[in-house]
Amino acid sequence: MGKVEEYLRERIESKGAIHITLIDPERGSVEKLTDIACRAEKAGTSAIMIGSSTLVSQYMLDELLKEMKPRLSIPTIIFPNNIAALTRLADAIWFMSLLNSDNPYFITGAQALAAPIVKMYGLEAIPMGYIIMGEGGAAGFIGCARPIPYEKPEIAAAYALAAQLLGMRFIYLEAGSGVRRPIPPEAVRIVRSMIDIPLIVGGGLRTSEQIEATAAAGANIVVTGTAVEQVEDIEKLIYSFTEAAARGAERYRRIQ
Ligand code: 1GP
């Protein structure tokens, strides 16, 4: 296990549930995005994920990380959409497989093309099973996913368990960036009850109430990207998210 994964596990252990901020390299200037990341760190976010469903330029990632990395002490983790989303300047990469894609390229094809570069760059690869539910957003469309209906969370749970049995160490339940309806807490609860590995939930989370409910259902990591784009006071928002995640985790612990 690498340093970033160890850090995430320790942080989950001590806080119960943590918040990670997703930065989309296509949504603003390098300066603006770096400023968001720094303010999110100050407000208690645990790591910065960098990714977008439509990113095609490795250069953009390099430029962003060059500026951002020296100003952060929390880890930067690539959240790749494809093989261009690689930079040697990040601390780690979610080495992820889109489990419910209809296209084998997104399950093992892109991973095979990227693996030698990940090794050459010395990036810490954190194996993760990625499952798209509900609307799916751009990630669902680009990744040729067959999104799992919210009313059928047992299918997502079966995929999650299969990923755990295959040796993946994290599960990500994705609703799609900016979607109207995030993953329902009931679906999170059912997936959580099937697996023992850390569960990440993201897509469409906008309020601290939603984040608390997601953590109370058993999510260990909640990810938000779009929410910061609509507020002035980023620190206040992210702080409320980190607190909500911890409160939710406490509620989850009490009912176990
Ligand atoms: C998308 O889960 C992330 O991959 C974050 O989604 O932008 O809706 O917060 P939002």
Side-chain angles (χ1 to χ4, degrees):
M1 195 191 300
K3 274 198 202 123
V4 175
E5 182 172 350
E6 216 169 289
Y7 159 85
L8 291 175
R9 285 176 184 274
E10 278 170 18
R11 193 106 176 153
I12 291 168
E13 182 70 33
S14 73
K15 304 231 173 242
I18 60 173
H19 173 265
I20 292 184
T21 300
L22 173 67
I23 300 280
D24 180 341
E26 296 182 312
R27 297 257 182 99
S29 67
V30 163
E31 292 71 28
K32 181 188 157 205
L33 299 175
T34 299
D35 181 57
I36 293 175
C38 292
R39 291 165 75 177
E41 172 174 330
K42 227 189 284 163
T45 205
S46 292
I48 301 294
M49 268 164 53
I50 299 137
S52 137
S53 299
T54 48
L55 179 80
V56 288
S57 159
Q58 185 162 351
Y59 174 79
M60 271 173 96
L61 274 188
D62 282 337
E63 291 305 296
L64 179 60
L65 266 296
K66 239 184 258 169
E67 181 75 20
M68 193 183 278
K69 185 83 189 82
R71 298 180 46 197
L72 292 172
S73 39
I74 52 174
T76 48
I77 310 173
I78 302 169
F79 185 44
N81 63 320
N82 210 328
I83 56 170
L86 292 168
T87 169
R88 59 173 87 233
L89 301 175
D91 296 299
I93 179 167
W94 289 117
F95 203 76
M96 53 199 270
S97 173
L98 175 39
L99 301 172
N100 57 322
S101 176
D102 273 341
N103 183 346
Y105 178 79
F106 294 104
I107 305 172
T108 53
Q111 293 77 358
L113 291 173
I117 306 165
V118 169
K119 187 177 161 83
M120 186 172 80
Y121 284 0
L123 279 169
E124 177 183 335
I126 310 176
M128 180 250 271
Y130 190 51
I131 300 166
I132 299 188
M133 296 189 75
E135 228 175 279
F141 179 80
I142 303 275
C144 309
R146 203 152 18 100
I148 298 167
Y150 284 157
E151 296 70 30
K152 295 285 168 202
E154 59 279 8
I155 300 176
Y159 269 98
L161 180 60
Q164 177 180 318
L165 298 181
L166 282 164
M168 293 171 183
R169 297 200 290 264
F170 288 78
I171 297 295
Y172 195 130
L173 285 186
E174 173 72 83
S177 183
V179 295
R180 278 161 299 185
R181 208 181 144 207
I183 311 264
E186 188 50 24
V188 175
R189 200 167 296 121
I190 285 169
V191 173
R192 171 76 280 161
S193 66
M194 191 65 112
I195 57 169
D196 309 306
I197 55 178
L199 178 60
I200 311 167
V201 177
L205 293 167
R206 285 183 190 81
T207 67
S208 46
E209 288 74 20
Q210 289 169 331
I211 286 176
E212 182 173 337
T214 304
N220 305 102
I221 301 179
V222 284
V223 178
T224 65
T226 308
V228 289
E229 290 169 14
Q230 290 139 10
V231 294
E232 280 295 310
D233 197 341
I234 292 170
E235 282 93 337
K236 189 173 163 200
L237 184 78
I238 301 287
Y239 180 73
S240 76
F241 286 174
T242 58
E243 290 291 294
R247 267 199 316 276
E250 185 49 41
R251 274 171 56 193
Y252 177 76
R253 252 200 302 255
R254 263 188 264 132
I255 53 166
Q256 289 318 294

